[in-house]
């Protein structure tokens, strides 16, 4: 990969990002909220698990302060 980058540096710009940076990804905060609700779930099957995840996401959708908190933690801001 480094050879390819070096051979094409006239048109290619590469930015090295951290391999894992949950503090930069607001969706990590949303998934943390979802996982809180299913941490002790004994799902009967994959459909039961999927329904539970959808339900948790729907509850978060109607609580915008939770979404705002995840955005604020990442340093991102959405202007109204």
């Amino acid at each position: 990969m480094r050879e390819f980058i070096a051979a094409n540096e006239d048109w290619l710009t590469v930015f090295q990002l951290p391999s894992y940076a949950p503090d930069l990804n607001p969706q990590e905060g949303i998934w943390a909220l979802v996982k809180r609700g299913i941490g002790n779930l004994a799902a009967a099957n994959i459909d039961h698990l999927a329904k539970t995840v959808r339900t948790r996401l729907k509850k978060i959708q109607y609580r915008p302060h939770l979404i705002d908190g995840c955005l604020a933690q990442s340093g991102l801001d959405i202007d109204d």
Side-chain angles (χ1 to χ4, degrees):
M1 183 58 75
R2 290 182 184 162
E3 291 174 15
F4 177 80
I5 293 169
N8 295 287
E9 64 186 0
D10 57 322
W11 64 269
L12 179 65
T13 302
V14 177
F15 297 96
Q16 185 66 37
L17 299 174
S19 57
Y20 181 68
D23 50 323
L24 301 177
N25 298 312
Q27 70 270 18
E28 293 290 339
I30 299 297
W31 282 118
L33 293 170
V34 171
K35 289 188 283 187
R36 255 188 236 166
I38 63 172
N40 292 322
L41 175 69
N45 54 41
I46 194 71
D47 293 329
H48 181 218
L49 177 61
K51 181 180 178 189
T52 304
V53 169
R54 280 193 300 272
T55 301
R56 293 289 301 166
L57 287 170
K58 186 64 97 173
K59 286 182 180 180
I60 292 169
Q61 178 183 357
Y62 292 107
R63 298 175 70 193
H65 66 281
L66 294 176
I67 298 169
D68 292 342
C70 293
L71 287 170
Q73 183 178 1
S74 69
L76 299 173
D77 185 26
I78 296 179
D79 297 326
D80 296 278

